[in-house]
Amino acid sequence: MSKKAVLLSIKPKFCELIASGKKTVEIRKNRPKIDVPFKVYIYCTKGDAPLVYGSPVPNYIEENLVTTSGYSRKEAERIFDVYNGKVIGEFVCDNINKFRVFSDSIISSMPFDIEAESCLTLNNINNYIGTGISGYAWHISDLVIYDKPKELSEFYKSCVDKYCYCEGCQYGYIKYPEWVETAENLEGISYDTYCLNLVQRPPQNWCYVEELI
């Protein structure tokens, strides 16, 4: 049985910080209703300068995810694999800390330096979460940045019915052998089933997906 995972939308500048290892905590207003640890896939949003795997200098590739500020999107896509608008990697969320912001200088119930780990100021966090409101710090572990980014279409939405076979699901597709022409030909044959419940657009915040096998 497949496992439930999360697809998380993150701005390019924060994707770069995560890839460099500087950002080890992601701040969110809510959390998934699944137990830790769980797999998180990082979707890099389309805005900002192109984010690529390697150096902005052509033919000199480094093992890093960097911003190519000197290139237009079209030029960058001709030279590199551009990560904007794609799934750039994955991590395991092994812990989530709930906290509350009381002001831009006081924050409750955090066992670590939230500013350093999240690469955000308390004022940033306060503006995002809101004063007196609870937020969640997702801890990033076992980070993997893909050499080649993945398309959204490679991911499936969370299964609508874990106990239903694909044949009986509204998103199930049955592929019969080409020689099958009538219902009488179906008896005793084997066939393939496919799930068509694919992710077609990025989440505004995050969404459940099926963990890749």
Side-chain angles (χ1 to χ4, degrees):
M1 181 180 292
S2 57
K3 294 176 63 177
K4 187 177 288 188
V6 168
L7 178 64
L8 184 66
S9 289
I10 301 179
K11 293 181 179 179
K13 64 179 180 180
F14 293 120
C15 288
E16 189 173 0
L17 289 169
I18 289 173
S20 69
K22 295 177 181 178
K23 181 176 172 66
T24 58
V25 164
E26 179 65 20
I27 302 299
R28 294 285 156 158
K29 294 180 179 180
N30 49 29
R31 57 156 296 169
K33 294 181 179 180
I34 51 178
D35 294 332
V36 294
F38 57 87
K39 182 72 66 69
V40 179
Y41 297 102
I42 306 167
Y43 172 79
C44 178
T45 58
K46 290 185 176 181
D48 300 336
L51 196 64
V52 304
Y53 197 66
S55 169
V57 180
N59 303 319
Y60 182 72
I61 303 299
E62 297 177 343
E63 295 295 312
N64 201 6
L65 199 62
V66 295
T67 299
T68 59
S69 55
Y71 290 86
S72 68
R73 177 64 61 82
K74 186 175 182 180
E75 290 173 327
E77 288 179 343
R78 180 173 54 83
I79 300 171
F80 305 100
D81 277 326
V82 173
Y83 280 54
N84 306 61
K86 297 180 182 179
V87 179
I88 71 164
E90 62 187 62
F91 66 86
V92 174
C93 180
D94 60 356
N95 193 28
I96 296 180
N97 294 97
K98 186 176 181 179
F99 63 90
R100 180 169 292 183
V101 180
F102 291 108
S103 70
D104 60 2
S105 60
I106 301 174
I107 199 163
S108 71
S109 306
M110 294 306 294
F112 51 83
D113 186 339
I114 193 170
E115 288 184 286
E117 300 295 328
S118 68
C119 296
L120 296 169
T121 66
L122 290 180
N123 189 52
N124 293 148
I125 297 171
N126 184 40
N127 289 337
Y128 172 61
I129 300 295
T131 302
I133 300 175
S134 295
Y136 298 86
W138 301 21
H139 185 254
I140 298 169
S141 67
D142 299 333
L143 175 68
V144 176
I145 300 298
Y146 303 141
D147 291 341
K148 185 176 180 61
K150 297 183 184 297
E151 301 290 343
L152 280 176
S153 58
E154 297 180 52
F155 293 83
Y156 294 91
K157 297 177 184 177
S158 183
C159 186
V160 296
D161 187 348
K162 294 288 187 183
Y163 302 99
C164 175
Y165 289 107
C166 290
E167 294 94 322
C169 176
Q170 60 179 317
Y171 297 106
Y173 171 73
I174 302 174
K175 184 178 181 181
Y176 296 110
E178 294 181 359
W179 56 266
V180 173
E181 297 180 354
T182 66
E184 288 75 16
N185 298 137
L186 297 178
E187 186 175 355
I189 71 165
S190 60
Y191 51 83
D192 295 319
T193 58
Y194 300 92
C195 178
L196 301 182
N197 195 21
L198 298 170
V199 175
Q200 297 179 347
R201 62 182 63 183
Q204 290 289 328
N205 186 4
W206 59 265
C207 68
Y208 293 113
V209 294
E210 295 296 310
E211 186 173 329
L212 295 179
I213 299 175

